[in-house]
Amino acid sequence: MTRISVDTDKCIGAAQCVLTAPEVFDQDDDGFVALLQEEPEGQEERSARMARSVCPAQAITVHE
């Protein structure tokens, strides 16, 4: 099972993850990444992987 984690200390608030995978990521009140689903499946997992690749701060990790 794939697990997603985020490093909020790295996050710069660009929101690319939210735009790419809104069902998996959101932004908190300060504008930083908030993880909605730690273990997405199907299309949501694919979207989370894409979000990892477009994150300018490399704050998203996909664990196999």
Side-chain angles (χ1 to χ4, degrees):
M1 180 175 290
T2 300
R3 187 174 60 82
I4 307 295
S5 65
V6 294
D7 185 340
T8 55
D9 291 333
K10 283 185 175 181
C11 181
I12 60 171
Q16 295 305 300
C17 58
V18 178
L19 294 172
T20 305
E23 63 283 347
V24 181
F25 304 100
D26 199 355
Q27 287 181 293
D28 65 16
D29 291 339
D30 295 321
F32 297 110
V33 64
L35 186 60
L36 301 176
Q37 290 189 54
E38 189 173 307
E39 297 177 347
E41 296 180 356
Q43 180 58 44
E44 293 170 350
E45 178 186 344
R46 289 186 287 280
S47 295
R49 288 178 183 278
M50 179 64 73
R52 174 190 61 183
S53 70
V54 300
C55 176
Q58 299 179 346
I60 300 168
T61 303
V62 176
H63 306 273
E64 302 299 332

XYZ file of all heavy atoms in Angstrom:
484
model
N 0.846 -1.187 0.000
C 0.000 0.000 0.000
C 0.885 1.243 0.000
O 1.893 1.305 0.682
C -0.921 -0.020 1.211
C -1.826 1.183 1.268
S -3.024 1.125 2.604
C -4.086 -0.162 2.010
N 0.494 2.215 -0.755
C 1.226 3.477 -0.842
C 0.774 4.414 0.264
O -0.413 4.535 0.544
C 0.963 4.136 -2.210
O 1.410 3.254 -3.231
C 1.679 5.449 -2.332
N 1.762 5.072 0.888
C 1.469 6.041 1.939
C 2.115 7.366 1.543
O 3.232 7.390 1.045
C 2.021 5.552 3.279
C 1.604 6.417 4.454
C 2.058 5.821 5.776
N 3.490 5.672 5.866
C 4.348 6.642 6.187
N 3.908 7.859 6.425
N 5.636 6.401 6.244
N 1.417 8.452 1.795
C 1.887 9.794 1.486
C 2.241 10.495 2.790
O 1.520 10.384 3.778
C 0.797 10.618 0.766
C 0.243 9.881 -0.455
C 1.297 12.010 0.412
C 1.232 9.651 -1.553
N 3.344 11.234 2.768
C 3.659 12.096 3.906
C 4.099 13.449 3.366
O 4.510 13.576 2.207
C 4.745 11.486 4.796
O 5.964 11.383 4.102
N 3.972 14.460 4.195
C 4.375 15.807 3.812
C 5.282 16.383 4.886
O 5.153 16.073 6.068
C 3.158 16.740 3.596
C 2.339 16.281 2.408
C 2.295 16.842 4.824
N 6.212 17.209 4.447
C 7.113 17.904 5.367
C 6.684 19.370 5.385
O 7.030 20.138 4.485
C 8.552 17.758 4.889
C 9.563 18.359 5.847
O 9.164 19.209 6.684
O 10.739 17.993 5.767
N 5.919 19.726 6.394
C 5.387 21.097 6.453
C 6.492 22.130 6.648
O 6.297 23.296 6.310
C 4.333 21.228 7.569
O 4.899 20.796 8.808
C 3.099 20.390 7.251
N 7.642 21.710 7.154
C 8.765 22.645 7.305
C 9.361 23.032 5.947
O 9.915 24.113 5.810
C 9.855 22.047 8.193
C 9.424 21.925 9.641
O 8.547 22.714 10.074
O 9.957 21.058 10.350
N 9.236 22.152 4.966
C 9.734 22.442 3.617
C 8.729 23.224 2.786
O 9.103 23.929 1.852
C 10.051 21.146 2.875
C 11.313 20.468 3.265
C 11.524 19.275 2.330
C 12.843 18.598 2.564
N 13.014 17.465 1.634
N 7.452 23.077 3.087
C 6.387 23.664 2.279
C 6.531 25.183 2.183
O 6.779 25.862 3.182
C 5.023 23.314 2.884
S 3.629 23.977 1.954
N 6.362 25.707 0.949
C 6.439 27.156 0.739
C 5.073 27.755 0.388
O 4.965 28.928 0.073
C 7.473 27.515 -0.348
C 7.100 26.876 -1.689
C 8.882 27.104 0.089
C 7.940 27.340 -2.864
N 4.039 26.917 0.411
C 2.680 27.412 0.185
C 2.342 27.697 -1.261
O 1.443 28.498 -1.536
N 3.005 27.035 -2.204
C 2.738 27.268 -3.628
C 1.404 26.682 -4.084
O 0.895 27.065 -5.129
C 3.870 26.684 -4.478
N 0.864 25.743 -3.341
C -0.452 25.134 -3.587
C -0.533 24.289 -4.847
O -1.623 23.965 -5.303
C -1.559 26.171 -3.579
N 0.588 23.918 -5.427
C 0.566 23.057 -6.607
C -0.038 21.698 -6.277
O -0.727 21.102 -7.098
C 1.976 22.905 -7.193
C 2.548 24.190 -7.734
C 1.635 24.836 -8.759
O 1.330 24.250 -9.798
N 1.174 26.040 -8.466
N 0.190 21.224 -5.068
C -0.377 19.938 -4.651
C -1.900 20.012 -4.583
O -2.595 19.090 -5.013
C 0.203 19.499 -3.305
S -0.052 20.669 -1.956
N -2.415 21.108 -4.083
C -3.864 21.283 -3.966
C -4.504 21.363 -5.356
O -5.566 20.785 -5.592
C -4.204 22.540 -3.138
C -5.695 22.748 -3.046
C -3.592 22.452 -1.747
N -3.841 22.045 -6.263
C -4.357 22.148 -7.626
C -4.300 20.808 -8.349
O -5.187 20.496 -9.148
C -3.561 23.193 -8.415
C -3.712 24.634 -7.936
C -2.721 25.535 -8.662
C -5.129 25.125 -8.122
N -3.285 20.010 -8.061
C -3.086 18.733 -8.744
C -3.910 17.602 -8.132
O -4.421 16.749 -8.854
C -1.592 18.358 -8.717
O -0.841 19.439 -9.284
C -1.310 17.086 -9.490
N -4.011 17.593 -6.807
C -4.710 16.501 -6.111
C -5.525 17.051 -4.941
O -5.209 16.833 -3.779
C -3.702 15.468 -5.618
N -6.618 17.770 -5.240
C -7.399 18.406 -4.173
C -8.083 17.418 -3.231
O -8.460 17.789 -2.126
C -8.430 19.247 -4.932
C -8.537 18.607 -6.275
C -7.169 18.045 -6.568
N -8.233 16.170 -3.662
C -8.829 15.166 -2.792
C -7.824 14.613 -1.780
O -8.203 13.964 -0.818
C -9.430 14.026 -3.617
C -8.434 13.230 -4.436
C -7.961 13.910 -5.724
O -8.553 14.906 -6.167
O -6.967 13.420 -6.285
N -6.541 14.897 -2.001
C -5.481 14.385 -1.125
C -4.847 15.490 -0.283
O -4.465 15.271 0.859
C -4.387 13.662 -1.948
C -3.281 13.109 -1.053
C -5.000 12.538 -2.784
N -4.755 16.706 -0.853
C -4.074 17.812 -0.183
C -4.976 19.028 -0.047
O -5.838 19.275 -0.875
C -2.824 18.227 -0.978
C -1.864 17.110 -1.214
C -1.841 16.441 -2.425
C -0.978 16.705 -0.227
C -0.958 15.395 -2.655
C -0.092 15.660 -0.442
C -0.084 15.010 -1.657
N -4.725 19.797 0.986
C -5.388 21.076 1.198
C -4.344 22.016 1.788
O -3.191 21.629 1.966
C -6.581 20.909 2.150
C -7.587 22.058 2.054
O -7.330 23.039 1.331
O -8.629 21.966 2.716
N -4.751 23.223 2.092
C -3.864 24.166 2.768
C -4.461 24.519 4.115
O -5.677 24.684 4.239
C -3.687 25.439 1.935
C -2.817 25.220 0.716
C -2.636 26.495 -0.057
O -3.589 27.000 -0.631
N -1.422 27.006 -0.084
N -3.581 24.658 5.108
C -4.048 25.049 6.437
C -4.276 26.556 6.477
O -4.116 27.250 5.466
C -3.076 24.570 7.523
C -1.697 25.224 7.453
O -1.531 26.268 6.777
O -0.771 24.687 8.093
N -4.633 27.073 7.631
C -4.941 28.498 7.766
C -3.750 29.401 7.466
O -3.915 30.574 7.142
C -5.460 28.795 9.173
C -6.831 28.189 9.415
O -7.542 27.895 8.434
O -7.187 27.989 10.596
N -2.533 28.847 7.550
C -1.326 29.618 7.253
C -0.885 29.471 5.803
O 0.120 30.051 5.398
C -0.187 29.183 8.186
C -0.482 29.523 9.637
O -1.045 30.607 9.898
O -0.155 28.695 10.518
N -1.617 28.669 5.024
C -1.301 28.496 3.607
C -0.359 27.355 3.303
O 0.096 27.217 2.167
N -0.058 26.520 4.294
C 0.856 25.407 4.078
C 0.084 24.109 3.883
O -1.080 23.998 4.252
C 1.844 25.294 5.243
C 2.712 26.509 5.370
C 2.553 27.375 6.436
C 3.663 26.814 4.407
C 3.333 28.512 6.544
C 4.448 27.958 4.514
C 4.280 28.802 5.578
N 0.756 23.130 3.319
C 0.119 21.862 2.957
C -0.507 21.163 4.163
O 0.055 21.137 5.251
C 1.124 20.921 2.247
C 2.259 20.517 3.166
C 0.417 19.698 1.689
N -1.687 20.619 3.919
C -2.385 19.783 4.898
C -2.760 18.499 4.167
O -3.347 18.538 3.082
C -3.627 20.482 5.432
N -2.405 17.368 4.733
C -2.670 16.070 4.119
C -4.066 15.589 4.504
O -4.388 15.468 5.678
C -1.610 15.065 4.582
C -1.623 13.692 3.947
C -1.425 13.787 2.432
C -0.550 12.829 4.578
N -4.908 15.341 3.510
C -6.273 14.873 3.740
C -6.365 13.354 3.731
O -7.209 12.783 4.412
C -7.216 15.440 2.669
C -7.302 16.955 2.575
C -8.207 17.349 1.410
C -7.801 17.546 3.882
N -5.521 12.706 2.913
C -5.539 11.244 2.790
C -4.107 10.726 2.859
O -3.308 11.040 1.985
C -6.128 10.801 1.458
C -7.596 11.017 1.303
C -8.080 10.325 0.041
O -7.856 9.145 -0.153
N -8.734 11.092 -0.814
N -3.811 9.936 3.853
C -2.468 9.390 3.994
C -2.242 8.183 3.079
O -1.116 7.922 2.663
C -2.224 8.980 5.449
C -0.800 8.597 5.733
C -0.548 8.356 7.197
O -0.869 9.238 8.011
O -0.037 7.274 7.511
N -3.308 7.458 2.753
C -3.192 6.262 1.918
C -4.207 6.306 0.763
O -5.160 5.525 0.724
C -3.380 5.009 2.762
C -2.305 4.854 3.824
C -2.503 3.651 4.721
O -3.597 3.041 4.710
O -1.552 3.316 5.445
N -4.005 7.203 -0.196
C -4.934 7.295 -1.322
C -4.827 6.071 -2.225
O -3.788 5.396 -2.267
C -4.480 8.555 -2.054
C -3.027 8.654 -1.734
C -2.892 8.130 -0.329
N -5.885 5.795 -2.946
C -5.914 4.657 -3.861
C -6.401 5.106 -5.230
O -7.061 6.139 -5.364
C -6.844 3.571 -3.315
C -6.375 2.979 -1.998
C -7.322 1.898 -1.484
O -8.373 1.662 -2.111
O -7.000 1.309 -0.442
N -6.099 4.306 -6.244
C -6.597 4.557 -7.587
C -6.160 5.896 -8.149
O -4.984 6.261 -8.073
N -7.103 6.619 -8.711
C -6.806 7.909 -9.330
C -6.248 8.901 -8.320
O -5.388 9.713 -8.650
C -8.054 8.488 -10.006
C -7.819 9.835 -10.678
C -6.726 9.791 -11.729
O -6.659 8.878 -12.544
N -5.850 10.792 -11.714
N -6.694 8.831 -7.091
C -6.195 9.748 -6.066
C -4.714 9.489 -5.790
O -3.943 10.423 -5.573
C -7.031 9.630 -4.796
C -8.448 10.129 -5.024
C -9.378 9.815 -3.886
O -9.012 9.047 -2.977
O -10.503 10.347 -3.912
N -4.305 8.219 -5.817
C -2.884 7.904 -5.647
C -2.071 8.459 -6.814
O -1.013 9.056 -6.625
C -2.670 6.393 -5.542
C -1.201 6.022 -5.413
C -0.951 4.540 -5.460
O -1.892 3.728 -5.300
O 0.224 4.168 -5.665
N -2.568 8.287 -8.024
C -1.871 8.815 -9.199
C -1.766 10.338 -9.134
O -0.720 10.904 -9.461
C -2.576 8.365 -10.480
C -2.399 6.868 -10.745
C -2.961 6.442 -12.087
N -4.422 6.422 -12.119
C -5.181 5.444 -11.636
N -4.631 4.393 -11.067
N -6.497 5.505 -11.726
N -2.827 10.995 -8.684
C -2.792 12.453 -8.538
C -1.777 12.878 -7.471
O -1.070 13.871 -7.643
C -4.175 12.976 -8.164
O -5.096 12.753 -9.199
N -1.701 12.121 -6.386
C -0.736 12.430 -5.320
C 0.693 12.295 -5.831
O 1.569 13.101 -5.494
C -0.964 11.531 -4.114
N 0.934 11.284 -6.656
C 2.263 11.109 -7.241
C 2.605 12.283 -8.164
O 3.738 12.772 -8.179
C 2.337 9.793 -8.008
C 2.360 8.580 -7.108
C 2.381 7.287 -7.930
N 2.342 6.133 -7.075
C 3.398 5.613 -6.467
N 4.586 6.171 -6.621
N 3.282 4.549 -5.689
N 1.629 12.735 -8.927
C 1.851 13.888 -9.797
C 2.136 15.136 -8.961
O 3.018 15.928 -9.287
C 0.635 14.114 -10.700
C 0.771 15.307 -11.614
S 2.091 15.186 -12.813
C 1.400 13.998 -13.926
N 1.393 15.285 -7.871
C 1.614 16.433 -6.984
C 3.032 16.422 -6.430
O 3.671 17.471 -6.320
C 0.599 16.416 -5.845
N 3.528 15.237 -6.105
C 4.910 15.137 -5.621
C 5.870 15.675 -6.674
O 6.809 16.411 -6.361
C 5.261 13.691 -5.293
C 6.740 13.525 -4.917
C 7.163 12.101 -4.833
N 6.990 11.440 -6.135
C 7.221 10.178 -6.346
N 7.610 9.393 -5.354
N 7.056 9.656 -7.535
N 5.624 15.352 -7.923
C 6.550 15.761 -8.977
C 6.479 17.256 -9.289
O 7.457 17.816 -9.780
C 6.318 14.938 -10.242
O 5.098 15.269 -10.841
N 5.348 17.907 -9.008
C 5.235 19.339 -9.303
C 5.482 20.232 -8.089
O 5.521 21.453 -8.228
C 3.864 19.689 -9.940
C 3.674 18.937 -11.236
C 2.723 19.451 -8.991
N 5.686 19.642 -6.936
C 5.920 20.440 -5.724
C 7.277 21.142 -5.813
O 8.317 20.473 -5.844
C 5.879 19.550 -4.484
S 6.269 20.431 -2.950
N 7.295 22.473 -5.845
C 8.577 23.185 -5.984
C 9.483 23.038 -4.757
O 10.699 23.177 -4.871
C 8.165 24.637 -6.205
C 6.802 24.745 -5.620
C 6.169 23.392 -5.792
N 8.916 22.731 -3.621
C 9.707 22.601 -2.398
C 10.076 21.149 -2.091
O 10.778 20.879 -1.119
C 8.931 23.182 -1.215
N 9.580 20.217 -2.898
C 9.819 18.781 -2.680
C 9.408 18.377 -1.264
O 10.124 17.660 -0.568
C 11.257 18.410 -2.983
C 11.622 18.679 -4.422
C 13.062 18.347 -4.732
O 13.884 18.145 -3.848
N 13.372 18.284 -6.006
N 8.241 18.843 -0.859
C 7.738 18.595 0.503
C 6.869 17.351 0.610
O 6.412 17.021 1.690
C 6.956 19.817 0.976
N 6.651 16.655 -0.508
C 5.776 15.470 -0.523
C 6.622 14.230 -0.755
O 7.468 14.205 -1.658
C 4.728 15.590 -1.644
C 3.857 16.823 -1.423
C 3.865 14.326 -1.713
C 2.987 17.187 -2.607
N 6.367 13.200 0.050
C 7.057 11.923 -0.110
C 6.023 10.833 -0.307
O 4.998 10.803 0.378
C 7.911 11.598 1.136
O 8.837 12.672 1.349
C 8.667 10.297 0.960
N 6.299 9.947 -1.267
C 5.456 8.776 -1.510
C 6.225 7.568 -1.017
O 7.334 7.285 -1.500
C 5.113 8.631 -3.007
C 4.317 7.370 -3.257
C 4.356 9.851 -3.502
N 5.671 6.863 -0.053
C 6.291 5.674 0.526
C 5.624 4.450 -0.084
O 4.401 4.337 -0.063
C 6.096 5.643 2.045
C 6.554 6.888 2.727
N 7.850 7.073 3.127
C 5.883 8.020 3.072
C 7.964 8.271 3.702
N 6.775 8.859 3.675
N 6.437 3.554 -0.613
C 5.921 2.317 -1.208
C 5.707 1.269 -0.146
O 6.360 1.165 0.813
C 6.891 1.794 -2.265
C 7.145 2.789 -3.367
C 5.913 3.193 -4.164
O 4.958 2.408 -4.278
O 5.900 4.309 -4.662
